Every structure is written in C-alpha cells, then in structure tokens.
Amino acid sequence: QVQLVESGGGSVQPGGSLRLSCAASGRTLSSYTVGWFRQAPGKEREFVAAIRRSGGTTHYADSVKGRFAISRDNAKNTVNLQMNNLTPEDTAVYYCAADQHLILSSIRQSREYDYWGQGTQVTVSS
C-alpha cells in the first residue's frame, strides 16, 4: 500500500506559478500511474494531469494543457505538477492519486484510482 502526501499549495496572483509535489511512502511511486485531480467549491472533482507507470506518457486536461507540466522525480519518490500562468479558475483543492493497474481509457476517471492524498489548497486571486 502506498501513502501519498501533497505539498506546495498556496496563494498566488493571476499569472503566477506554483509547483505541487506528491510524495509517496511505503512503495516506489514509479510503479504507479499517478494523477492529479482538483475540486473547487460546489463542483465535482476533475482530472488535471496524469503520468503513466509504463513509459511515463503524460496526459492533460484541455483546460491546463500548455500551462501545467507533470513529471516524476524518482530519486525523491515524488510526482510534481508545475503550474504556470495560473488563473482564478485554477483555484481548487488539488489531490494526487495513484494506481498500479489503470488502463489508458480510465486514466482520467477519479473512481479508478485506489490511493489518494489529503489534498492541498491552491488559491489564485488578485
């Protein structure tokens, strides 16, 4: 079983940047597909980005493509989400999730991930 802890959230002005990290303990995170999801108040949890366990292929929601980048740091057993050019619409609690057995068609489905972190708040406001 893998335990996940997110960090790096905070408050930033529009156009600013943040880097979120998802740190794992108990297992090597490189053997998991890892996704980032977010949930804004009153809205459903939505897919943001994912990186696959095999080959490291990355996937992004259209709303963040070109602004966000997901990557692995295997030495630190983390998966990072670099977020640039943030807008108020990016305000949400961000969660990382992991699963070892996801198929490609399920990678954007939060219900398919077995392990979740507690979330970190990102607020974009002027």
Side-chain angles (χ1 to χ4, degrees):
Q1 188 170 352
V2 62
Q3 292 81 42
L4 305 174
V5 178
E6 301 96 336
S7 62
S11 295
V12 65
Q13 292 186 340
S17 298
L18 285 173
R19 182 179 177 86
L20 305 184
S21 288
C22 176
S25 60
R27 291 287 189 272
T28 301
L29 201 53
S30 60
S31 64
Y32 292 76
T33 290
V34 177
W36 283 95
F37 293 80
R38 66 187 182 186
Q39 189 165 18
K43 295 187 176 181
E44 293 187 353
R45 190 169 297 187
E46 65 174 356
F47 171 78
V48 175
I51 186 165
R52 297 187 70 191
R53 56 173 288 189
S54 300
T57 307
T58 57
H59 304 263
Y60 297 95
D62 288 344
S63 59
V64 306
K65 201 172 293 183
R67 301 188 298 122
F68 291 14
I70 188 170
S71 62
R72 293 187 184 273
D73 186 337
N74 291 333
K76 295 182 179 180
N77 206 27
T78 62
V79 169
N80 301 313
L81 184 68
Q82 177 66 42
M83 307 187 297
N84 298 325
N85 195 20
L86 287 161
T87 74
E89 289 68 38
D90 295 314
T91 295
V93 178
Y94 283 70
Y95 300 89
C96 69
D99 196 276
Q100 282 190 302
H101 306 295
L102 280 174
I103 58 175
L104 181 58
S105 60
S106 298
I107 204 166
R108 297 168 185 259
Q109 306 300 320
S110 60
R111 64 180 180 271
E112 300 294 333
Y113 288 77
D114 283 341
Y115 304 104
W116 289 82
Q118 84 290 347
T120 186
Q121 176 71 46
V122 170
T123 302
V124 185
S125 174
S126 55

